């Protein structure tokens, strides 16, 4: 698993229950004390570190492919972390895992406006490009694919929907 380190300058590798987790430095967000300065710093990092952090991700993936340690890569759509890697000559398939794409949120909330929120508009369009460039989509249901078709007019016919691998029957949840 490749993920961002909560400490933006900390790069490390840990083993959790036999799973190697690579924490990358240089993330494009900042978790601070949630004061106004932290919020401003986080917004600045989201712009200044956007491309450089995705380059770090891309380099890490390429190194793992070179070492024959990856045969498929899955990115979340939110945050568009595939931005640099998907532009390279692809040697392994790329899956995009849908949570709730920001383009979906912006469209349903009617906030997808290039004039009022230009950065959100650009980021949503970049996420959409990654989704369309993927070899497959991992989604919990066809409802998200239907959203792309019905609301955005985008047909993902060349892509395969991979259903969420969670079996709710295996979870014991308290009744309220």
């Amino acid at each position: 698993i490749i993920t961002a380190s909560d400490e933006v300058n900390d790069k490390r590798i840990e083993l959790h229950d036999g799973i190697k987790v690579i924490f990358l430095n240089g993330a494009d967000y900042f978790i601070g004390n949630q004061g106004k300065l932290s919020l401003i710093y986080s917004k600045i990092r989201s712009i200044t570190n956007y491309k450089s952090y995705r380059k770090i991700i891309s380099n890490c993936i390429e190194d793992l492919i070179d070492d024959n340690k990856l045969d498929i890569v899955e990115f979340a759509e939110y945050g568009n972390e595939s931005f640099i890697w998907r532009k390279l000559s692809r040697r392994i398939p790329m899956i995009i895992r849908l949570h709730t794409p920001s383009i979906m949120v912006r469209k349903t909330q009617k906030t997808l406006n290039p004039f009022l929120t230009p950065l959100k508009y650009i980021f949503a369009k970049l996420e959409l490009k990654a989704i369309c460039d993927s070899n497959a989509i991992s989604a919990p249901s066809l409802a998200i694919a239907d959203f792309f078709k019905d609301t955005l007019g985008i047909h993902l016919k060349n892509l395969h929907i991979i259903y969420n691998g969670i079996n709710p029957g295996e979870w014991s949840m308290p009744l309220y």
Side-chain angles (χ1 to χ4, degrees), residues 5-122:
S5 174
D6 287 343
E7 300 295 327
V8 294
N9 296 317
D10 180 33
K11 179 181 179 181
R12 66 187 187 284
I13 298 173
E14 296 179 5
L15 201 60
H16 293 272
D17 295 324
I19 298 172
K20 184 189 234 182
V21 181
I22 301 170
F23 294 89
L24 297 177
N25 61 327
D28 60 348
Y29 65 89
F30 173 75
I31 299 173
N33 63 10
Q34 304 305 318
K36 283 187 179 184
L37 288 178
S38 288
L39 180 61
I40 292 168
Y41 183 59
S42 184
K43 295 291 183 190
I44 291 170
R45 282 190 72 85
S46 71
I47 296 167
T48 60
N49 288 39
Y50 187 84
K51 191 172 182 180
S52 63
Y53 179 61
R54 279 142 190 84
K55 180 73 172 162
I56 292 169
I57 294 168
S58 180
N59 290 341
C60 182
I61 290 170
E62 287 297 302
D63 289 345
L64 291 168
I65 294 170
D66 289 343
D67 293 341
N68 293 315
K69 294 182 179 176
L70 278 182
D71 57 5
I72 193 167
V73 64
E74 180 184 74
F75 291 97
E77 89 291 337
Y78 192 79
N80 192 28
E81 291 183 343
S82 69
F83 179 66
I84 298 290
W85 188 80
R86 71 179 170 79
K87 295 177 182 181
L88 300 178
S89 177
R90 199 172 301 163
R91 300 184 284 160
I92 61 174
M94 178 178 80
I95 295 175
I96 297 291
R97 180 181 3 89
L98 300 179
H99 295 89
T100 305
S102 64
I103 195 161
M104 177 185 255
V105 173
R106 310 269 180 259
K107 186 75 170 178
T108 56
Q109 292 180 348
K110 297 183 180 9
T111 59
L112 189 61
N113 186 317
F115 302 108
L116 296 177
T117 54
L119 281 178
K120 289 179 181 179
Y121 179 83
I122 291 168

Side-chain angles (χ1 to χ4, degrees), residues 128 131-134 137 144-161:
L128 179 60
I131 292 165
C132 292
D133 286 350
S134 68
I137 294 174
I144 290 179
D146 288 343
F147 170 83
F148 280 92
K149 181 179 66 173
D150 300 338
T151 306
L152 299 177
I154 297 168
H155 298 280
L156 301 173
K157 62 183 178 203
N158 295 332
L159 303 177
H160 307 281
I161 300 294

